[in-house]
Amino acid sequence: MENRIDHIHAELVRIYETAVACLKADISAFIEHGTLPPAERRTANLWTYPELTVRYRGNERDVVFGRAFGRLVEPGTYATTITRPHLFADYLKEQLALLDAEYEIEIEVSRSTQEIPFPYVLDGLGMGTVTPQELATHFPSTDLAMIGDEIADGLMIFAENDPKPLALFDGLRTDFSLARLAHYTGTSPDHCQKFILFTNYHRYVDEFVDWAGEQIGKDGYVALAGAGGLYLDEAAPNARARLSDTAWRRHQMPAYHLVREDRSGITLVNIGVGPSNAKTITDHLAVLRPEAWLMIGHCGGLRETQRIGDFVLAHAYLRDDKVLDPVLPPEIPLPAIAEVQQALAEAAGIVSGDSGANLKKRMRTGTVVTTDDRNWELRYTASAHRFSLSRAIAIEMESATISAQGYRFRVPYGTLLCVSDKPLHGELKLPGQANRFYEEAIAGHLKIGLRACEMLRAEGDSLHSRKLRAFDEPPFR
């Protein structure tokens, strides 16, 4: 079985690399000599993604019904196009091996009819005096009408004889996001890890980089890669000194990756402030099929009994972020993922040294408001009434968006926030108070997120709750 899956993956690599090499060579010939590509490139599908097809006639072998993914619900043909098969090698082999072990299936690899857009193969090619518009005249270009999330959102309509989707994202959608990730984070998607932490303050970056620099060579960690060209493959104290302000500031949402060879390390992304950024980055990270993503930012505490530095474990959300309303209406509930909640709560106890009633004094579980209005305080009367009706305990601007995107794209999610101010109770985030809070709270808060990631890594398949699966799901996770 293993040899069969390896052979299938090797064929995906061969077709993809052959298509990319052909497209690059033809573009280079056009740029350097004005040579037009032969018509057969398109008629013979020589510039196209490989297509992976699975045919299932209804015969099972030994099905594991408790798993949330890797399942074939009904007989039929399932297919998707694949990009960067080397980057997704472990994922593709794992998903195919699960299906092959439990169902009698036929697996086929072939050239698809979906062309690779020229912008995704330009690395290493000089453009000379040729414009992108000229290239688009003769080579495949990015057609936004062909890129979308209709599969994930349950909006795709198929003809009776069309193959069902094998995965949530095809080659076009994936390449689009891989390019955007490099642009926004300032790092290669090859360095992104399976466990992702989001924060909204650069001070967390300093703490993470220092901690990560000391982990290289321990527990399977082999390198630290980050925005602005940061790359360390040997342990280094005070690694934040290697950060270049002028380099990472060029990127809207810089990322930092503590790398394991199997990509089971930890990525930290500083998404900045606001639900739009939160949606943007999760739209693109989702194609990498992470195991989990967690928000570890700051919030305003809404209860009198809370103190600056207390933790908030989100169990539900009041979604006033609005950015996802067209694709996931706010009345759709976002279920808490038990494995994530337990890992965050347990990690908070370990790092803080508190447990039982003492931990409850420092960590409240409840509803978090995510708003798109940074100055919601200016509508205090209306806001306070709505928050009271929801029984909310905290307010911020990203967590519900990140969790809703996790729900939408089947990525386990969670939120542990730290109270930085209490705007309803006169404790505003003033400069002097803020500095003391940052110094005391950030290191501990980050450690909780890091410890939770380590716990979630041990969960394996059980982390992927069936709560995240829709009625008619693609087989791949």
Side-chain angles (χ1 to χ4, degrees):
M1 183 189 306
E2 182 178 351
N3 289 336
R4 181 190 185 200
I5 300 303
D6 286 342
H7 174 75
I8 289 164
H9 181 259
E11 187 65 4
L12 286 170
V13 171
R14 185 190 70 79
I15 293 177
Y16 174 76
E17 292 187 346
T18 300
V20 169
C22 180
L23 181 54
K24 290 185 75 168
D26 289 340
I27 292 172
S28 180
F30 179 77
I31 291 173
E32 293 176 12
H33 309 293
T35 306
L36 295 179
E40 68 183 39
R41 297 292 196 260
R42 289 193 133 144
T43 57
N45 296 329
L46 298 182
W47 292 337
T48 61
Y49 293 104
E51 184 167 63
L52 179 61
T53 302
V54 171
R55 294 185 177 88
Y56 172 52
R57 306 187 190 281
N59 297 321
E60 300 177 352
R61 289 193 174 114
D62 186 19
V63 177
V64 178
F65 290 102
R67 190 176 55 241
F69 59 90
R71 299 174 59 210
L72 293 169
V73 177
E74 59 180 322
T77 299
Y78 301 79
T80 190
T81 54
I82 301 293
T83 189
R84 302 280 300 278
H86 271 312
L87 175 61
F88 293 98
D90 290 345
Y91 171 78
L92 292 169
K93 290 180 182 180
E94 176 194 54
Q95 301 304 304
L96 285 171
L98 290 173
L99 296 178
D100 202 38
E102 298 176 19
Y103 305 92
E104 294 182 13
I105 57 174
E106 301 169 15
I107 307 174
E108 178 185 328
V109 177
S110 61
R111 292 193 187 110
S112 72
T113 59
Q114 190 179 77
E115 294 183 322
I116 304 171
F118 75 82
Y120 304 143
V121 303
L122 290 180
D123 282 352
L125 294 179
M127 291 286 289
T129 60
V130 175
T131 67
Q133 290 77 15
E134 290 177 285
L135 288 179
T137 302
H138 305 288
F139 299 95
S141 59
T142 305
D143 183 355
L144 293 180
M146 303 299 294
I147 302 173
D149 290 319
E150 288 81 4
I151 295 174
D153 292 331
L155 300 174
M156 184 68 77
I157 298 175
F158 300 95
E160 184 176 350
N161 295 323
D162 285 347
K164 300 177 177 65
L166 185 62
L168 290 175
F169 306 106
D170 64 7
L172 273 176
R173 172 66 171 82
T174 301
D175 261 342
F176 176 79
S177 281
L178 294 180
R180 288 292 179 92
L181 279 175
H183 171 73
Y184 285 119
T185 69
T187 61
S188 168
D190 298 69
H191 291 144
C192 286
Q193 301 297 292
K194 295 179 182 178
F195 296 90
I196 300 172
L197 296 176
F198 299 107
T199 188
N200 45 17
Y201 287 93
H202 184 75
R203 290 173 187 250
Y204 282 83
V205 172
D206 290 339
E207 291 289 338
F208 178 78
V209 169
D210 274 352
W211 175 82
E214 295 178 349
Q215 306 310 307
I216 301 170
K218 304 176 185 177
D219 195 27
Y221 295 117
V222 297
L224 171 63
L230 175 70
Y231 190 85
L232 301 174
D233 55 10
E234 293 183 355
N238 192 32
R240 74 174 72 180
R242 310 288 186 95
L243 295 176
S244 167
D245 283 355
T246 56
W248 70 256
R249 289 183 188 278
R250 298 173 189 163
H251 306 289
Q252 186 173 344
M253 289 175 272
Y256 304 85
H257 316 281
L258 181 56
V259 177
R260 276 181 152 206
E261 290 185 351
D262 62 358
R263 293 187 56 241
S264 67
I266 302 171
T267 286
L268 177 77
V269 187
N270 179 11
I271 62 175
V273 176
S276 179
N277 277 4
K279 178 183 183 297
T280 296
I281 200 65
T282 48
D283 276 341
H284 303 312
L285 285 167
V287 305
L288 293 172
R289 308 314 299 142
E291 298 285 352
W293 58 40
L294 311 175
M295 180 66 191
I296 53 164
H298 292 169
C299 67
L302 298 179
R303 298 304 182 102
E304 177 64 40
T305 55
Q306 289 172 304
R307 297 172 299 175
I308 304 298
D310 281 357
F311 300 124
V312 171
L313 179 59
H315 190 76
Y317 301 92
L318 180 61
R319 288 180 50 204
D320 285 349
D321 50 325
K322 301 183 178 65
V323 69
L324 286 170
D325 289 5
V327 292
L328 190 67
E331 64 266 21
I332 302 300
L334 304 179
I337 308 301
E339 292 80 3
V340 176
Q341 300 295 96
Q342 290 168 1
L344 286 168
E346 186 175 344
I350 293 171
V351 172
S352 68
D354 294 324
S355 61
N358 287 333
L359 181 58
K360 288 183 178 180
K361 291 178 182 178
R362 288 211 59 200
M363 185 174 72
R364 291 283 298 267
T365 300
T367 298
V368 169
V369 181
T370 292
T371 179
D372 63 345
D373 182 2
R374 180 59 191 88
N375 295 317
W376 63 269
E377 298 97 330
L378 300 179
R379 300 184 65 249
Y380 169 81
T381 302
S383 298
H385 179 64
R386 179 169 169 75
F387 301 161
S388 179
L389 288 176
S390 72
R391 308 302 191 260
I393 60 173
I395 182 169
E396 48 77 83
M397 300 188 69
E398 299 86 24
S399 295
T401 312
I402 287 169
S403 295
Q405 287 280 79
Y407 178 82
R408 184 178 171 221
F409 293 131
R410 289 71 159 173
V411 177
Y413 51 84
T415 298
L416 185 74
L417 303 172
C418 195
V419 175
S420 61
D421 61 328
K422 293 173 58 181
L424 297 185
H425 306 285
E427 295 188 52
L428 303 179
K429 195 181 294 182
L430 301 175
Q433 180 182 8
N435 287 336
R436 289 194 300 273
F437 162 74
Y438 290 139
E439 291 172 2
E440 295 171 1
I442 285 176
H445 190 197
L446 177 64
K447 287 179 182 177
I448 294 172
L450 296 169
R451 187 61 180 264
C453 287
E454 293 171 350
M455 293 176 173
L456 293 173
R457 185 188 299 146
E459 290 283 345
D461 290 350
S462 63
L463 174 59
H464 296 275
S465 172
R466 284 175 286 180
K467 296 175 184 177
L468 299 180
R469 309 295 282 183
F471 290 169
D472 189 13
E473 280 287 298
F476 281 10
R477 176 176 65 79

